[in-house]
Amino acid sequence: MIKLWQFTDTHYWERDPMPAEPPGNDQKSILESGAILDAALAEFLAEPDCDILLISGDLTCNGHAQEHRGLLKKLRAVQAAGKRVILITATHDYGHTHIDERNDEGLAPLERPDGKVFRHELRELYDEFGFRDAIAEYGDGLSYVARLAPGYRLLCLNDDGDGRAFCGFYEPQMEWILAQIEQAKREGDYIFGMCHHPSYPPTPMFPLISSRDMLGDWEAATRRLANAGLRCMLSGHTHMHNIHPVVTPEGNPYWDLNTACLVGFPGVFREITLDNGLFTARNRYIKDFDWDRKGLTVREYLARHFDSLLRTIIESAAYDIDRLADHAGGFSVEKEVIYKYRLPITLAGKYVNRATLGSLGRLLLCARKIPKSVKKASGKELFLELVRNIYAGEERYGPDTDMGKALLAIAARADKLVGKRLPSAISPLPDFLLSLIYDESPDDYVEIAL
C-alpha cells in the first residue's frame, strides 16, 4: 500500500519586511500562509508510512521572487528529511501576466529587482520536485509523468493554456496525455491525473459565474480522458472542496476531486492511499498553526476570515456596486458579471441584508410552508453559511430538513413568479437551488477502482 497527501493552492506569500496587514481583502488567509504551510508540512513529516506529497498548483500568491525563495526552502527541507514532493505550477506562480513573456535582463529569477518570475523559469526553479525524475515530459516540460512507485503513474499536467482567457489543454497536449494513458495501460501500470483547474464543476453554479476558471472545454476533455481509461483527476483552483463522479455516454466512470485551498477555509487537504489499483481519498485538516488566533480554533479562525470578505460582498451588493465588483474576484466572480446583473444584485442585496426566512416567505406568499424552527433565520447569516458549506464540501440541507424545506418552498414560489424568464441553466429554480444546498455524494471520502 502507498500513502500520499495532496495539498493545493498553498498561495505562499512572503515579503521582507512582512507587513502587519494582509495585501488586500481576500478569502485566503494570506498573511498567515507561511504559518499554515509550516504546520501542514510538519504534520506531513510526522505522518508514518507516508512519503509523497503532491501539490497541485498556485504554489505562491503572486509569483514573486521572495515567495519562491521562501517556498523552495520549505520544500527542500521536506525532501532533506527523506520524503518526496511532486508538484505542478499554475498561473499564480509567475509574476508576469502573459504566458509567453521572456526575461531580457539576464538576471536570475530570484534576483530580479522587481521580484517577478517568468513562467518559462519555473521548470528550472522547481526541477527537483518531480520534474527531474519524470519518465515522460511534454513540450516546455511543465507537464510530465511521475512514477509514484512500481505499478503507479501520475499525470502531472500544467493547464495554463494561454495564461488568461483559456486554461486547459490544446490539442497537441491532449494527444500527448491520451498517449501517456494508453502507454501506462499497455505496460500494466495504474495511472491517475493532477491538474490545477477543475475538469468538472465543483458546484453547478461555478460555470455560470466564472466559466474561464474551469478547465477549458471541460465537458469534451472529461469525456476524452474517461474514455481513454483515466479514472480520476486531482484538481484545485476554485478553493472549493468537492468530489464529483460522472459517467460518459460511452459508460466510462470518471471522478474530479477538487480540493480546497490549503490556506483558506476550512484548512483541508486529502490523504490518498493506493492499494492494488484501489484509489482511496479522505479528508485531513490542519490541526494547529503558530498564530494568535484570539482563542479560536483553526476552523473558527479561518471561517471568520472567510466571512469577512463575504460580509463585505453582501453589504456592497446593497450599497456599493463598484466595491462589490472590486472584491468579487476573491470568489472567482468576474467584474463583468457583477455589472451585467447590477440591478437584481442591488435589489437582492438590500433585501438580504435585512430579511429573515419568515419575512421572505411572507413576501412571496408562502409563509405557511416555512417551518417555524427556521423562520427567524437571518438571510445574511444563512447566505454566509451556505457559501461556506459549498467551499467546505458540506452541503447538508437536504429536502427533508427544515432548512431545506424552507428554501425549496421559497424557490418554488419564486419559480412560479419568474421561472419563465430564468436562464435554462438555473431552471427549474428549486432543482438548481437544491444542487447548491445539498450534495448527496460525499466530498470527504471516495474509493475509485483505477
Side-chain angles (χ1 to χ4, degrees), residues 9 37 48-49 52 62 86 100 116 118 133 139 158 165 174 227 240 261 273 286 288 323 331 394:
D9 294 83
L37 182 57
D49 305 319
I52 304 174
N62 303 112
I86 299 173
D100 57 352
K116 293 181 179 178
F118 292 83
D133 298 321
N158 180 281
M174 176 59 83
N227 289 341
M240 298 176 184
C261 172
T273 58
I286 304 294
D288 195 9
R323 189 180 183 210
F331 284 90
E394 298 171 352

Side-chain angles (χ1 to χ4, degrees), residues 92-138:
H92 271 261
D93 297 323
Y94 49 97
H96 286 272
T97 301
H98 298 290
I99 199 169
D100 57 352
E101 287 183 312
R102 291 292 183 266
N103 171 23
D104 297 324
E105 300 171 328
L107 293 174
L110 303 185
E111 297 173 3
R112 206 161 291 126
D114 65 4
K116 293 181 179 178
V117 168
F118 292 83
R119 180 179 180 271
H120 71 279
E121 297 170 324
L122 294 172
R123 168 65 176 79
E124 184 176 352
L125 277 178
Y126 288 93
D127 175 71
E128 65 220 81
F129 303 108
F131 297 99
R132 71 168 58 156
D133 298 321
I135 60 174
E137 290 190 27
Y138 172 76

Side-chain angles (χ1 to χ4, degrees), residues 347-348 350-352 354-368 370 410 413-414 417:
L347 293 174
K350 287 184 177 180
Y351 190 79
V352 166
R354 66 175 187 274
T356 63
L357 283 185
S359 67
L360 186 56
R362 291 192 297 274
L363 177 69
L364 296 177
L365 304 179
C366 61
R368 288 181 297 175
I370 309 299
I410 290 169
R413 179 60 180 163
L417 297 174

Side-chain angles (χ1 to χ4, degrees), residues 61-172:
C61 191
N62 303 112
H64 195 280
Q66 289 187 11
E67 297 166 356
H68 286 292
R69 274 198 298 270
L71 181 62
L72 285 165
K73 181 178 179 180
K74 295 177 189 297
L75 298 183
R76 283 169 180 154
V78 171
Q79 295 208 147
K83 300 201 176 192
R84 293 172 68 189
V85 178
I86 299 173
L87 57 80
I88 55 174
T89 61
T91 51
H92 271 261
D93 297 323
Y94 49 97
H96 286 272
T97 301
H98 298 290
I99 199 169
D100 57 352
E101 287 183 312
R102 291 292 183 266
N103 171 23
D104 297 324
E105 300 171 328
L107 293 174
L110 303 185
E111 297 173 3
R112 206 161 291 126
D114 65 4
K116 293 181 179 178
V117 168
F118 292 83
R119 180 179 180 271
H120 71 279
E121 297 170 324
L122 294 172
R123 168 65 176 79
E124 184 176 352
L125 277 178
Y126 288 93
D127 175 71
E128 65 220 81
F129 303 108
F131 297 99
R132 71 168 58 156
D133 298 321
I135 60 174
E137 290 190 27
Y138 172 76
D140 57 14
L142 290 174
S143 291
Y144 62 99
V145 180
R147 188 181 298 283
L148 300 176
Y152 288 96
R153 302 183 189 188
L154 174 66
L155 280 165
C156 302
L157 303 175
N158 180 281
D159 59 17
D160 288 349
D162 63 9
R164 298 294 290 164
F166 173 78
C167 291
F169 310 127
Y170 290 111
E171 185 59 25

